[in-house]
Amino acid sequence: MLSFACAVACSLGISSVAYADVEDFESLQDQSLSVQASVDNTSESLDEVSSEDPVSVAVTDPTLDLPLDDSHAQQDAVDPVNEPSSSVGVPEDPEVPSAPSQPIEPEQPSAPSQPTEPEQPSAPSRPMEPDAPTTTPDPSVPQTPEFTQQFAKVDGRWHYFDKSGKGTGAVNITPGWVKREDVWYWFKNANAYAENEWVSVNGAWYYLGEKGHMLSGNRVIDGRRYYLYADGSMVKGVLWQKIGNTWYYINYGGALTTNTWRYINHKWYYFDEFGRMKTGWIQLGGKWYYLNSSGAMSTGWQKVGSCWYFMRSNGIMHEGWGLIGGKWYYLQPSSGHMRTNWIKLDNKWYLLSQSGDMLTGWQKNDNKWYLLANNGIMQTGWHKVNGNWYFMNQGGSMKANTWYYDEYYKRWYYFEGSGRMNTAADTELHDMIEAIINKRTGRGSDALKRAFDYVVSYPYRSGSLYPTGDWGARYAKEMYRNGSGNCYRYAGLFCWIARGLGYKANVVSGWVPGARVAQAPHGWVEVYVNGSTCICDPDLAHEMPGHAWYMVTYANAPTYYHGW
């Protein structure tokens, strides 16, 4: 009974029906004939099945070969109206169908349930980036070949491709060295060549790089630097190796010593990034070092070119002041060369000898005298040295053979050729000499001769003998005030006039042969011109005018002079 109902339901396109009770099922069975008679209207009945029917249904899509409900796949796939007969021939007349019974009043459909609130639609997802359109290669643009200057297998056979990527066809390979286009390859066997690896051949080591190319020269391999000869073999041995004109230091394993100092046989050497031993100047970490021609690091004094340098015990070039061997030297910052002569540091002047050591005390430079303190600083102004006063000009040179008016003390001072201040020379003497020059001698090339003649014109008068102390200034004043005097007064006055004219001159006391005594006490003047010492004797010129007593030498003077 149940299978029949299912068959009817399937013929109507209904896969399952929910029944209220058994009586309903039996009523449906009684009406099965009328349903069969109405099978021609099946399509209409199917159209009347609403998707809103609360009865659960499974509908077969007639456009598909398989039903949506797999439980009745074969049954639902057959059209019950148009199913062909299994036999071929003239069909029998169909039976006359009986009149259909009164159909059962269908149940009142239940009210549809309240529709649920539709879910809030989610934001649309970001559309996927479309694939870049494929482009057809431009035949005018050359394409990069897949293989260049290398061996590659094609269809199981080795082929060689040259630099342009052109294949040379299949080649037969035997293990060992193979050369193509000046490049060597090492085949381990017929199926593989060495690439990016070391190989040992006949006791020598070789490195085969990318594409199996044998390397040569100075190379970095696996973070270390090696030197490979032109034939590709690694430099053998350890310690020093000279290749061409360059020295290298080989470590155990063949790697070069690079970017570091190496202490070898009690000397330091430096090797650069290529493993080359360095010579000459090198700068590391902002410090300068000097390596001699053998590569050894230098220390102490080093003459490079025309300049001297001082390298500390650690090899670093010294800069600035340095106390070396008990003496101070100044090494120019940055360049490091030893300075000589004058240098100015922090507005102070220092004088360095030709050997570079700092000078102190009295020093003569360019025919001028300078006074340098114990710390080497050049002095200026007034300075008392060993009980005598000296005055150093603003440029440091010592005043000598000149008058100087001091604004602070408001008086004149005279400094002799030695630079010593003459304590007897004062403003009175200065003004007296200036008056004589302005009124009597004037200045110029002949002024000294006019001064000599002026003093010779003074009358002679006997006076004290054997003067002591700084007698020249004292006797010059006496001669001028008294208008006469002896040989010492003549000498004193002429000497100071000469000094007033800018000459270096000194009074001298000694003796000359006398008429009544062998050694007569006498005074005269020495004038120093262009390195020569000349004698001027105004007293004897006054007493014996027929002889040359002006600017003569000791050798050609009319008489013999001997100083005390």
Side-chain angles (χ1 to χ4, degrees):
M1 182 76 69
L2 180 58
S3 61
F4 174 77
C6 290
V8 174
C10 289
S11 67
L12 295 175
I14 303 174
S15 60
S16 61
V17 181
Y19 301 100
D21 50 31
V22 176
E23 285 78 14
D24 292 337
F25 173 76
E26 292 176 349
S27 296
L28 182 60
Q29 180 183 8
D30 292 339
Q31 300 298 323
S32 62
L33 293 175
S34 62
V35 171
Q36 181 66 36
S38 304
V39 72
D40 292 334
N41 300 320
T42 300
S43 59
E44 295 179 3
S45 299
L46 290 174
D47 292 338
E48 292 176 359
V49 178
S50 172
S51 61
E52 300 291 333
D53 195 332
V55 179
S56 175
V57 297
V59 181
T60 301
D61 188 346
T63 65
L64 302 177
D65 293 334
L66 297 176
L68 297 179
D69 187 349
D70 292 338
S71 62
H72 302 288
Q74 297 299 327
Q75 197 170 3
D76 291 341
V78 178
D79 186 349
V81 177
N82 299 317
E83 182 180 7
S85 172
S86 60
S87 61
V88 179
V90 178
E92 296 180 358
D93 292 333
E95 294 181 0
V96 177
S98 61
S101 59
Q102 186 70 25
I104 300 174
E105 187 73 24
E107 293 182 1
Q108 188 70 22
S110 60
S113 60
Q114 186 70 21
T116 58
E117 190 72 23
E119 294 182 0
Q120 188 71 19
S122 60
S125 61
R126 183 180 183 85
M128 295 180 62
E129 192 72 24
D131 293 336
T134 59
T135 58
T136 304
D138 186 351
S140 64
V141 178
Q143 302 299 310
T144 302
E146 183 178 2
F147 303 110
T148 56
Q149 202 172 15
Q150 67 185 109
F151 284 92
K153 275 193 171 184
V154 179
D155 297 330
R157 296 289 305 277
W158 285 108
H159 289 248
Y160 180 76
F161 296 86
D162 62 16
K163 294 179 181 178
S164 66
K166 181 180 178 180
T168 59
V171 294
N172 293 323
I173 295 297
T174 57
W177 290 110
V178 177
K179 186 177 183 181
R180 290 290 188 277
E181 295 184 292
D182 295 327
V183 177
W184 285 97
Y185 303 80
W186 174 260
F187 276 83
K188 296 185 279 188
N189 50 55
N191 295 317
Y193 58 77
E195 183 178 15
N196 295 325
E197 60 182 294
W198 289 99
V199 296
S200 178
V201 181
N202 297 328
W205 283 96
Y206 301 82
Y207 190 81
L208 290 306
E210 294 292 333
K211 302 179 181 181
H213 292 193
M214 183 194 76
L215 301 185
S216 63
N218 201 311
R219 300 280 187 164
V220 175
I221 301 172
D222 296 332
R224 295 183 179 181
R225 188 170 287 278
Y226 298 83
Y227 194 92
L228 309 172
Y229 289 117
D231 66 358
S233 61
M234 184 185 74
V235 173
K236 294 181 179 180
V238 295
L239 308 182
W240 290 107
Q241 291 286 343
K242 188 175 185 181
I243 303 172
N245 294 321
T246 304
W247 283 96
Y248 299 85
Y249 196 80
I250 314 299
N251 297 300
Y252 290 97
L256 303 180
T257 300
T258 58
N259 284 326
T260 189
W261 289 99
R262 194 70 180 262
Y263 192 61
I264 305 169
N265 295 332
H266 307 291
K267 294 181 180 180
W268 285 100
Y269 298 83
Y270 189 80
F271 300 88
D272 66 10
E273 67 273 21
F274 296 103
R276 300 171 299 193
M277 182 195 77
K278 300 295 290 182
T279 60
W281 289 106
I282 61 171
Q283 187 178 34
L284 300 171
K287 305 295 183 182
W288 284 98
Y289 301 80
Y290 186 75
L291 312 175
N292 63 27
S293 58
S294 69
M297 182 188 78
S298 298
T299 60
W301 286 108
Q302 299 294 326
K303 188 174 184 180
V304 182
S306 60
C307 298
W308 284 94
Y309 302 83
F310 187 79
M311 319 307 290
R312 303 176 195 167
S313 59
N314 60 4
I316 297 175
M317 180 189 75
H318 188 79
E319 301 176 51
W321 285 109
L323 183 61
I324 304 169
K327 296 180 179 181
W328 285 98
Y329 297 82
Y330 190 77
L331 292 307
Q332 184 66 33
S334 299
S335 68
H337 70 275
M338 182 191 77
R339 293 292 304 273
T340 60
N341 217 328
W342 289 106
I343 61 171
K344 187 177 184 180
L345 302 173
D346 298 326
N347 291 322
K348 294 180 175 59
W349 285 95
Y350 301 81
L351 182 60
L352 309 175
S353 73
Q354 294 305 305
S355 299
D357 56 302
M358 183 188 76
L359 300 175
T360 60
W362 287 109
Q363 299 294 334
K364 190 174 185 180
N365 183 266
D366 291 336
N367 294 318
K368 295 180 180 180
W369 285 94
Y370 297 84
L371 181 62
L372 306 168
N374 291 335
N375 60 3
I377 297 175
M378 182 192 76
Q379 302 298 293
T380 59
W382 286 101
H383 290 276
K384 192 173 186 179
V385 181
N386 296 328
N388 295 314
W389 282 99
Y390 300 82
F391 190 87
M392 318 307 293
N393 295 312
Q394 192 62 33
S397 61
M398 178 190 74
K399 284 188 178 299
N401 301 311
T402 186
W403 286 97
Y404 168 70
Y405 183 78
D406 192 297
E407 292 287 348
Y408 182 80
Y409 295 106
K410 304 297 183 184
R411 59 157 290 178
W412 284 93
Y413 298 88
Y414 186 81
F415 300 91
E416 297 179 353
S418 64
R420 179 182 67 87
M421 183 193 77
N422 191 309
T423 56
D426 53 13
T427 300
E428 178 188 357
L429 178 62
H430 170 269
D431 293 346
M432 181 190 81
I433 298 300
E434 285 297 306
I436 294 172
I437 293 173
N438 292 333
K439 294 178 181 179
R440 299 287 184 174
T441 68
R443 299 183 182 276
S445 59
D446 296 331
L448 186 64
K449 180 63 170 64
R450 290 193 293 270
F452 183 78
D453 293 340
Y454 166 74
V455 175
V456 171
S457 67
Y458 273 69
Y460 179 83
R461 181 172 65 88
S462 298
S464 59
L465 304 177
Y466 308 109
T468 58
D470 191 1
W471 52 271
R474 182 173 70 252
Y475 287 166
K477 292 178 183 179
E478 288 184 10
M479 187 71 162
Y480 183 75
R481 284 195 299 263
N482 297 333
S484 61
N486 64 2
C487 62
Y488 300 108
R489 277 70 178 176
Y490 280 103
L493 182 58
F494 176 73
C495 177
W496 279 100
I497 297 175
R499 288 176 172 179
L501 292 173
Y503 288 89
K504 181 181 179 182
N506 283 320
V507 292
V508 182
S509 63
W511 59 269
V512 294
R516 294 183 294 272
V517 295
Q519 298 179 357
H522 189 62
W524 65 92
V525 177
E526 290 181 347
V527 180
Y528 312 99
V529 180
N530 297 325
S532 298
T533 301
C534 298
I535 298 173
C536 291
D537 193 340
D539 173 51
L540 292 183
H542 177 81
E543 295 186 44
M544 299 186 299
H547 299 280
W549 305 104
Y550 173 73
M551 298 296 285
V552 295
T553 65
Y554 282 99
N556 59 15
T559 188
Y560 176 77
Y561 290 88
H562 188 279
W564 295 120

